Amino acid sequence: METMCVVTVLYNSRDVFMSTFRTWVEGARECTGDVEFVIIDNSLEPTCADLAADAADSGLRVTYRHCPENLGFAGGCNFGASLTDSDFIFLLNPDVWVENDTFRRLLERLNRGEASPLAVSLQVGDAVLCGIGINRAGHFVDRKLDSSLALIGPSGGAAVFPTDLYKRSDGLDADLFAWGEDVDLAIRLHAGGHRTEVVDLRLRHLGGHSLGADRRLSGRKVFLLARNRVILAARYYSTTSLILLSPVWLALTVCLAISKGRRRVGIAYLRGVAAGLAAFPANRSTAYRSSRVGVWSVGRPRARAVATTVLAD
């Protein structure tokens, strides 16, 4: 019987986590000890130690670590993965509610199939999102479940990985900190021949509970989005793709700078683009050459058929 560790990373998340974690606990009780929780709290002060203690007192396996130095999402996930010996890890955002049978259905799937990454669908407002795709502008995006975009890999909000594969792949890149870490891992795994499957559970996801919920951090978020998008392009786009997409990206940069300027984060956006371009040469190194992709070749229909298998649950 396979075992699964749910790894979540908190940052000022107590209000929503009090609600969502209650559903996680109920779901774990349906699985007779095959599910454990690892909670990494990046908040300045410990915010959810009592919730973890209560769950542990009820007989569940729970590990809680407070990291006031703020490891970021990627660093927190990697630290959490290092604390478990379960067969699979389920990276799950703290603002996601689960049903009572969610963990049981995932374990049933893991026990009957190959050890491949799984993208779990999320209900965000009226949209159902599942995994990561590349749009026609060459940007990595959250992919809609019914999209024609190729599935590159799981989104970090709800992603299942074989624990051994995650650790052998060095997990998420902590240098990216708050955006694009899941994209980076998805491309590396895809290039290594690991195809992602879809599990359509449509878990309710609030979205934007940490960075997005704090107006003081909006500029920081915009900076990281812009910087990391350039860094990922430097690492993983083929030379042909970079040449063909450069005019499109230049036009988009101008439009986005104007749009974000109206929201008073235009300077942060341009600083992010500049930081990404400054880091471009180092991230264009040969270390990433084997994982590079052609934006259009990876999204053609045949690639979609190989990359995506929708499971009936």
Side-chain angles (χ1 to χ4, degrees):
M1 188 72 175
E2 304 287 8
T3 55
M4 181 175 70
C5 177
V6 181
V7 177
T8 194
V9 179
L10 311 180
Y11 182 74
N12 298 333
S13 308
R14 180 177 175 84
D15 288 348
V16 68
F17 195 55
M18 287 177 65
S19 174
T20 58
F21 189 55
R22 189 178 301 115
T23 68
W24 300 12
V25 168
E26 292 302 318
R29 287 177 178 150
E30 299 284 324
C31 299
T32 62
D34 296 319
V35 174
E36 67 170 316
F37 298 112
V38 171
I39 302 169
I40 307 300
D41 190 349
N42 281 333
S43 308
L44 187 60
E45 301 291 338
T47 60
C48 296
D50 58 328
L51 302 181
D54 289 345
D57 289 344
S58 73
L60 298 178
R61 291 186 294 157
V62 183
T63 300
Y64 176 87
R65 293 288 186 272
H66 178 225
C67 303
E69 67 275 26
N70 192 352
L71 302 175
F73 174 72
C77 288
N78 293 345
F79 181 38
S82 74
L83 300 176
T84 182
D85 57 2
S86 291
D87 300 306
F88 291 85
I89 59 171
F90 182 15
L91 304 184
L92 187 61
N93 276 2
D95 56 346
V96 175
W97 287 262
V98 305
E99 303 296 332
N100 283 354
D101 63 350
T102 294
F103 298 143
R104 177 179 56 79
R105 293 172 66 185
L106 275 174
L107 284 168
E108 289 174 354
R109 162 62 189 82
L110 296 173
N111 276 289
R112 72 172 183 257
E114 296 182 1
S116 60
L118 302 179
V120 179
S121 62
L122 296 172
Q123 183 84 42
V124 185
D126 295 331
V128 180
L129 305 177
C130 192
I132 297 164
I134 305 178
N135 65 18
R136 292 181 178 179
H139 285 164
F140 292 101
V141 294
D142 290 323
R143 176 184 170 276
K144 290 187 177 181
L145 181 66
D146 59 357
S147 172
S148 62
L149 299 179
L151 175 64
I152 307 302
S155 171
V160 178
F161 299 96
T163 303
D164 179 63
L165 174 63
Y166 184 89
K167 292 179 179 179
R168 282 190 288 110
S169 303
D170 296 324
L172 301 172
D173 184 350
D175 289 338
L176 297 177
F177 193 76
W179 185 86
E181 313 97 315
D182 50 355
V183 174
D184 179 85
L185 179 58
I187 295 175
R188 286 187 278 121
L189 291 178
H190 192 278
H194 300 283
R195 294 302 181 256
T196 295
E197 296 181 347
V198 167
V199 179
D200 185 11
L201 298 180
R202 306 192 185 201
L203 305 180
R204 186 161 65 94
H205 181 211
L206 177 63
H209 79 283
S210 55
L211 287 177
D214 189 337
R215 291 183 178 274
R216 296 170 300 175
L217 297 176
S218 58
R220 175 69 170 163
K221 178 182 179 181
V222 167
F223 170 86
L224 290 169
L225 283 167
R227 185 199 68 173
N228 293 355
R229 183 164 277 157
V230 177
I231 287 175
L232 289 171
R235 288 182 181 180
Y236 298 119
Y237 285 20
S238 68
T239 301
T240 300
S241 294
L242 286 174
I243 293 172
L244 293 176
L245 286 169
S246 290
V248 177
W249 287 344
L250 178 60
L252 281 175
T253 298
V254 173
C255 293
L256 286 171
I258 295 172
S259 172
K260 294 181 185 301
R262 292 171 181 156
R263 289 182 284 152
R264 300 183 179 179
V265 289
I267 297 299
Y269 172 74
L270 291 175
R271 284 181 55 245
V273 172
L277 290 173
F280 194 100
N283 284 279
R284 194 62 183 168
S285 69
T286 56
Y288 300 101
R289 182 172 295 167
S290 63
S291 300
R292 286 185 187 147
V293 297
V295 172
W296 293 279
S297 64
V298 79
R300 66 177 184 263
R302 192 169 78 172
R304 282 201 300 274
V306 173
T308 308
T309 304
V310 178
L311 305 180
D313 282 277

